[in-house]
Amino acid sequence: MGLDFLADGGADFEHAITVTGFGRFHYMLLTVCGLIYMDTAIGVTILSFVLPAAQCDLEMDSTAKGWLTASPMLGMLIGSYIWGCLADTKGRKIVLIATLLMDGIVGIISSFVQYFWVFLVFRFFNGFAVTGAMGICFPYLGEFQPTKFRERILCWMEMFWTVGVIVLPLIAWLIIPMDFLITSETFYFKSWNLFVALCALPSLMLGLWLFAFPESPKFLLECGETDAALEVFKWIYSRNTGADPETYPVKCLQEKTKHQDKSTRSLKLHKRKDLKVLFAEIRDLTSALCKPPYLRNTALACAIQFGLTSSYYTLMVWFPELFTRFEQFEHENPGDTTSVCIVSALPDNTTSFDPYGCDTIIAPSVYLHTVYIGLACIPGSIILPLFVHKLGAKFFLIVSLVVSGAVTVGFYYVVNSTQNLVLSCVFEALTSLGISLVYCVIVDMFPTNLRVMAAALSLTMGRLGALIGNLVFGYLIDLACVIPIILFAAFLFACGFLSFLLPKTGKETLD
């Protein structure tokens, strides 16, 4: 293993990363990337607790709530591809830091906002930033891993998402019911404002922590920066083994033939000439994704993300409302059974005399149900990394999609709140697993220069699905409850079928 490969022009990436060992550095990297993914879980679902808590102060009726839910989705839709393009041209680390710092700063400022439309604009930028972090943390983590460990390490990320889903309602439960108020003639700062500010802090801290980590050596090699990549390998070797960096066995790396005079990493975004070169590079990379040999994989990744994400985000936004309606029905009709369709058609009694829900108190059961849903994800989060190398990410993806499709059909036959909670838990566990698995598969499906952009393009399609799903759902649920259930179940079954067509991943070295 100690050969320096000078005879045949240097070591390749797989040999260079294997020689660094697997240890302290890799565990620290998994921790920081996992916490970033956990932070994105909080950023994506925070509004489900802000909506009921802030509805009176921001004077939100149902329509306004719909706009507020859609605004970060729109930010994600626009941000996904922009951040992906920048990460594939300027670098993973710098763009990841930018997205986290932007999310943290915007989140903290939004907690002081007093007006609905200003808050809506800030949540748009939160969505814009958080989607960048979500799309880049998987490729960044994956590009530091030897083939032997890559799939398993990427699958441990699902556990961090699960922890985020559990931690958020617990923080909300701790802070939102507090009797906390800072007020003056023109300004107020209540418990929900404090909740929004606290949820923004991890983004800032993680963004600053990332400065201590190197750029992806795989990306540096792709840019032809072999000296910089070698320094990163030496640094990782030193962290893992405790040895002097200069004792790293590999002395030179295989050169990547440069296809242009100037590296896109050195381009200055404020210079018009450099910006034109950058846009030309982005156009070339985008067209490469949309042509053979990558067209098939791009289409599959985008179609699966669209169907899976539209089903996941639409139904997850709907669940808390369903819990409330079921509780309302069972309180008024003790001992009676009902169905999802009857419950979803119940009128909201608060609207006539309290349009902004100023008298609403969030029941502890709402927080508790969300915690249960998070806890239900833990078994899958543990089973996946332990068995993924034996069965493959593709196998788990197909199973999670097909079974979650069957669970969606099951919602039509639910007759009480307990059954609804059980199915909601199973649905969340399987679909969130599916979303993480799609990211894992994409890391292997595309070469380094297209990897983040492919993830970003599929993420964009997913966000488009979520946006359309949320907008269409309100109309369909009033028209005929069975239609959205059939529609989303069909989406999940179709995604399961498309997953059969995906290539096998996790066994090959990264391209």
Side-chain angles (χ1 to χ4, degrees):
M1 292 293 271
L3 298 175
D4 62 11
F5 286 78
L6 280 167
D8 62 355
D12 62 5
F13 169 80
E14 187 61 33
H15 178 76
I17 196 69
T18 305
V19 170
T20 62
F22 189 89
R24 185 174 156 221
F25 167 77
H26 290 91
Y27 295 123
M28 290 297 288
L29 184 71
L30 174 62
T31 304
V32 74
C33 290
L35 289 172
I36 290 167
Y37 197 45
M38 175 178 139
D39 184 50
T40 63
I42 290 171
V44 163
T45 50
I46 185 174
L47 279 184
S48 57
F49 296 105
V50 173
L51 286 178
Q55 60 187 355
C56 180
D57 296 316
L58 297 179
E59 298 184 349
M60 291 187 287
D61 55 13
S62 295
T63 310
K65 284 182 191 175
W67 278 105
L68 187 57
T69 318
S71 102
M73 286 293 170
L74 186 62
M76 288 177 181
L77 179 65
I78 296 167
S80 294
Y81 204 61
I82 292 172
W83 292 120
C85 294
L86 286 172
D88 267 343
T89 49
K90 299 294 285 180
R92 282 45 166 149
K93 175 186 158 181
I94 190 68
V95 177
L96 202 45
I97 290 170
T99 61
L100 289 164
L101 295 181
M102 180 182 175
D103 182 46
I105 292 164
V106 169
I108 288 170
I109 296 170
S110 74
S111 71
F112 294 96
V113 165
Q114 312 287 296
Y115 302 102
F116 169 73
W117 285 105
V118 184
F119 189 70
L120 182 132
V121 170
F122 275 106
R123 290 330 293 182
F124 167 85
F125 284 109
N126 275 117
F128 181 81
V130 91
T131 194
M134 191 186 282
I136 300 166
C137 65
F138 273 84
Y140 181 68
L141 175 64
E143 287 174 4
F144 283 95
Q145 311 303 324
T147 304
K148 184 181 173 185
F149 298 106
R150 186 173 63 249
E151 203 167 46
R152 193 176 304 159
I153 285 287
L154 287 172
C155 286
W156 275 116
M157 292 282 274
E158 169 62 16
M159 179 57 87
F160 287 92
W161 180 275
T162 300
V163 173
V165 173
I166 296 167
V167 165
L168 183 67
L170 292 175
I171 297 171
W173 200 356
L174 187 70
I175 291 170
I176 290 173
M178 278 169 51
D179 191 16
F180 178 87
L181 178 63
I182 299 169
T183 185
S184 68
E185 286 180 15
T186 55
F187 176 81
Y188 65 81
F189 194 85
K190 296 187 176 178
S191 59
W192 72 264
N193 301 89
L194 179 65
F195 172 65
V196 171
L198 284 175
C199 288
L201 283 176
S203 294
L204 280 179
M205 290 155 73
L206 289 165
L208 294 172
W209 190 16
L210 261 184
F211 278 103
F213 288 83
E215 179 56 88
S216 154
K218 188 81 182 104
F219 175 77
L220 291 171
L221 282 172
E222 189 64 32
C223 293
E225 298 181 30
T226 46
D227 291 343
L230 186 59
E231 288 305 311
V232 171
F233 287 127
K234 285 180 181 178
W235 189 83
I236 296 169
Y237 172 76
S238 171
R239 287 291 176 281
N240 281 341
T241 62
D244 187 308
E246 296 309 314
T247 61
Y248 176 59
V250 173
K251 302 304 175 193
C252 87
L253 299 166
Q254 284 179 4
E255 293 276 351
K256 177 88 179 177
T257 49
K258 292 182 185 179
H259 61 282
Q260 56 193 53
D261 299 331
K262 193 176 183 184
S263 168
T264 47
R265 291 193 75 221
S266 61
L267 297 175
K268 302 284 183 283
L269 296 181
H270 59 271
K271 288 186 180 175
R272 200 169 172 182
K273 190 179 173 186
D274 282 7
L275 211 56
K276 281 176 79 173
V277 175
L278 185 65
F279 282 133
E281 176 76 0
I282 289 167
R283 188 192 62 232
D284 292 345
L285 291 174
T286 308
S287 63
L289 279 175
C290 300
K291 288 190 297 200
Y294 306 116
L295 175 62
R296 183 173 179 272
N297 285 349
T298 304
L300 283 171
C302 288
I304 292 167
Q305 277 274 35
F306 183 91
L308 174 56
T309 313
S310 61
S311 306
Y312 175 75
Y313 282 110
T314 307
L315 290 173
M316 286 312 292
V317 166
W318 188 45
F319 286 156
E321 183 67 25
L322 257 188
F323 293 143
T324 311
R325 298 272 173 101
F326 261 116
E327 282 194 7
Q328 187 184 325
F329 179 88
E330 288 174 356
H331 178 71
E332 291 168 7
N333 309 278
D336 287 3
T337 55
T338 183
S339 73
V340 167
C341 288
I342 293 169
V343 163
S344 64
L346 285 176
D348 193 347
N349 297 333
T350 59
T351 51
S352 52
F353 57 87
D354 185 14
Y356 302 129
C358 290
D359 296 330
T360 304
I361 295 167
I362 307 169
S365 60
V366 174
Y367 302 113
L368 208 54
H369 282 157
T370 320
V371 172
Y372 289 152
I373 285 174
L375 291 171
C377 300
I378 290 177
S381 306
I382 295 169
I383 291 165
L384 179 65
L386 294 179
F387 293 99
V388 71
H389 214 61
K390 289 185 180 75
L391 299 168
K394 181 176 164 180
F395 169 81
F396 281 102
L397 182 61
I398 293 166
V399 170
S400 68
L401 287 165
V402 172
V403 179
S404 59
V407 169
T408 308
V409 174
F411 278 111
Y412 185 71
Y413 299 99
V414 161
V415 296
N416 58 44
S417 57
T418 308
Q419 290 179 5
N420 182 55
L421 177 61
V422 170
L423 282 190
S424 302
C425 287
V426 178
F427 180 85
E428 161 72 29
L430 292 168
T431 48
S432 68
L433 204 66
I435 287 170
S436 296
L437 282 163
V438 172
Y439 291 131
C440 295
V441 169
I442 286 172
V443 170
D444 272 22
M445 270 167 50
F446 296 93
T448 305
N449 64 319
L450 297 173
R451 188 170 294 124
V452 179
M453 209 172 281
L457 187 61
S458 75
L459 202 62
T460 304
M461 289 305 293
R463 296 293 168 255
L464 181 65
L467 192 63
I468 293 170
N470 274 300
L471 293 174
V472 170
F473 188 81
Y475 172 72
L476 288 176
I477 200 73
D478 291 337
L479 191 71
C481 163
V482 74
I483 295 175
I485 289 175
I486 291 170
L487 182 69
F488 290 124
F491 273 175
L492 291 164
F493 284 132
C495 290
F497 170 73
L498 289 173
S499 298
F500 274 105
L501 307 176
L502 289 169
K504 276 210 167 92
T505 57
K507 306 297 179 195
E508 303 286 322
T509 183
L510 281 183
D511 186 1

